[in-house]
Amino acid sequence: MCAFPVLAHAASAPTIETTDVLDGKSNFFANGTAITIEARTDGIDGAKITWNGGEKLVDAKTYVFGGSHESDAVIDETNIVMNGGNISAVFGGGLHKSHVKSANVTINGGKLKFINGGGASSASWTTCHKPWYATVDANSTNRVDTTNFVINGGESNLVYGGSEGMGYTGQVNMTINGGSWGWVTAGGSNGYTKATEVAIMDGTVKVFQGVNRGKVGSADAVVAGGNVETFYIGGETTDSGVDGTLGKASAVIIGGKVGTLAPGTSGGSGTANEISIDQNNMVAVYAKGTVTNDTTNSDAIEISLVSLDKNSLNMKVGEKATLKATLNPAEFSDNAIVLWDTLDAKIATVDENGNVTAVSKGTTKITATVGEKTIEVDVTVTDKDTAGTTVKNPETFDGILF
């Protein structure tokens, strides 16, 4: 039997279903309870799932959902942390009718066939709750409002920021810090994803694409490190099954290595449906030395770091200062597309916009990097000035200067 609707809005105990699931697979539902996935220690392929007050051993054919199954509940947030093990898939949301406000997925290790930051509106390995929702729009009954998706390690052939089937995902925030990944898509495998922001900081990615099937409203991606074999701003041009539409997109490559940068498609496969990079709705810029093969007909713009407005900073503890970068072409002089770093955060810190904060006495360097070029700024931090204060000695009433 399929699951009965759950009406409670609070997180409830996890459940596992094996009926209406094909080929010996099973579905694990966290129902909004925070869970951790670890490797098993009994020699059986699969994983151990733990939560506050319980645990469950599952096999490698298990699909794990942060949300619920065919439920009227609105779950405030789901939290999945995977540190190891081998399972079929992780979904930040739920299955069929379900609604999660905030899905939080962190992958630190382990193996999966695929990962979705959103939910699953159909799931071909299930047979219940048909007919499944069949329209690509924001009214899907399978909903995730926001997905916060952090990948630090592990491996999977397929990674989707959004949902499976005709699900809806509002905002996708995806960061890849490591691991080995096959095809990474900003949006869902299908359905409607309203907006995505992807940052590739490290790790290896075979293919990145902004859209697969369905619709993505906007797809913004930054590559700051790692290695991406092929980067499609739209959909993968050579895959006939990739026919999704993309409203607008930006690709900013300021670090790492991209083998091939391609425009990609919107609304169908093949070169006839390739998007036009106009630096307005479709933006593509990359730092010198980061892209080996630019196939955008030179529509993508190569940028380079020219200078900073200061070569040194003398600061007192607690003070703040801002460094400003000049890029070429000059119209791309934006601190947000520079990689900022500090050699010693105990002395001074710098944020992603070049804002420096003096922390403690000492010397360090702030670095600004765009592609092949790095500029250093010497930072000297001294103690705060201490103003003298005169008080009366309670015994003699003499003025004492402190």
Side-chain angles (χ1 to χ4, degrees):
M1 293 292 291
C2 290
F4 290 103
V6 179
L7 300 179
H9 289 248
S12 55
T15 55
I16 192 163
E17 296 177 6
T18 56
T19 56
D20 298 294
V21 185
L22 302 174
D23 302 325
K25 298 178 174 69
S26 60
N27 292 326
F28 179 96
F29 298 97
N31 297 315
T33 295
I35 61 171
T36 301
I37 304 171
E38 308 277 359
R40 293 178 67 147
T41 58
D42 57 3
I44 297 176
D45 198 19
K48 180 174 75 171
I49 304 175
T50 62
W51 59 94
N52 187 14
E55 66 175 52
K56 179 70 176 178
L57 294 175
V58 299
D59 63 28
K61 291 185 175 183
T62 303
Y63 295 75
V64 175
F65 295 82
S68 301
H69 184 194
E70 195 63 15
S71 169
D72 290 326
V74 179
I75 295 175
D76 286 334
E77 66 175 8
T78 63
N79 289 280
I80 300 174
V81 177
M82 183 170 182
N83 296 321
N86 181 14
I87 57 176
S88 288
V90 160
F91 294 86
L95 174 61
H96 300 141
K97 183 180 182 182
S98 61
H99 186 177
V100 172
K101 291 184 177 180
S102 176
N104 302 286
V105 177
T106 301
I107 307 294
N108 295 320
K111 294 182 180 180
L112 307 101
K113 291 182 178 178
F114 61 93
I115 312 169
N116 282 75
S121 73
S122 53
S124 60
W125 62 94
T126 65
T127 59
C128 55
H129 301 303
K130 290 185 176 181
W132 298 322
Y133 194 80
T135 306
V136 179
D137 61 21
N139 298 316
S140 175
T141 54
N142 182 271
R143 308 180 62 79
V144 173
D145 296 338
T146 301
T147 289
N148 301 306
F149 193 2
V150 179
I151 300 175
N152 297 317
E155 58 182 284
S156 177
N157 194 46
L158 296 170
V159 178
Y160 299 102
S163 301
E164 179 272 350
M166 300 304 176
Y168 167 78
T169 308
Q171 174 68 44
V172 172
N173 303 311
M174 183 195 302
T175 302
I176 299 177
N177 294 317
S180 179
W181 313 100
W183 277 255
V184 175
T185 302
S189 61
N190 207 331
Y192 178 43
T193 306
K194 186 176 180 181
T196 71
E197 293 184 9
V198 178
I200 300 175
M201 309 302 292
D202 206 346
T204 60
V205 174
K206 183 177 178 63
V207 174
F208 175 85
Q209 60 178 0
V211 64
N212 188 55
R213 296 187 297 275
K215 179 180 179 181
V216 174
S218 65
D220 298 323
V222 173
V223 179
N227 196 317
V228 181
E229 187 174 318
T230 305
F231 188 110
Y232 293 98
I233 299 164
E236 184 178 4
T237 306
T238 57
D239 188 339
S240 61
V242 175
D243 58 3
T245 59
L246 180 61
K248 59 181 181 178
S250 68
V252 179
I253 303 167
I254 54 177
K257 294 293 181 181
V258 172
T260 298
L261 175 63
T265 60
S266 178
S269 63
T271 56
N273 293 292
E274 282 188 336
I275 63 175
S276 296
I277 298 172
D278 56 10
Q279 303 301 346
N280 186 12
N281 285 326
M282 299 294 177
V283 176
V285 299
Y286 61 90
K288 184 177 180 180
T290 59
V291 174
T292 302
N293 183 26
D294 177 6
T295 65
T296 67
N297 297 319
S298 299
D299 291 329
I301 295 176
E302 185 180 82
I303 59 174
S304 59
L305 177 62
V306 176
S307 63
L308 298 180
D309 63 332
K310 301 178 183 70
N311 55 29
S312 64
L313 288 171
N314 293 298
M315 307 173 70
K316 297 186 184 301
V317 173
E319 285 186 345
K320 298 179 183 296
T322 300
L323 296 169
K324 294 183 179 180
T326 298
L327 277 64
N328 181 36
E331 61 265 31
F332 289 94
S333 296
D334 185 344
N335 276 4
I337 58 175
V338 176
L339 292 175
W340 299 94
D341 202 0
T342 177
L343 297 188
D344 192 344
K346 294 179 181 179
I347 304 298
T349 62
V350 62
D351 69 10
E352 66 274 13
N353 293 306
N355 298 310
V356 181
T357 301
V359 177
S360 65
K361 183 180 178 180
T363 60
T364 187
K365 294 180 184 292
I366 299 296
T367 61
T369 302
V370 177
E372 297 176 327
K373 186 170 183 178
T374 297
I375 297 177
E376 295 182 344
V377 175
D378 294 318
V379 180
T380 300
V381 179
T382 56
D383 288 330
K384 291 180 180 180
D385 290 332
T386 54
T389 302
T390 302
V391 299
K392 293 290 185 179
N393 186 306
E395 299 293 331
T396 65
F397 297 100
D398 294 331
I400 299 176
L401 181 64
F402 286 88

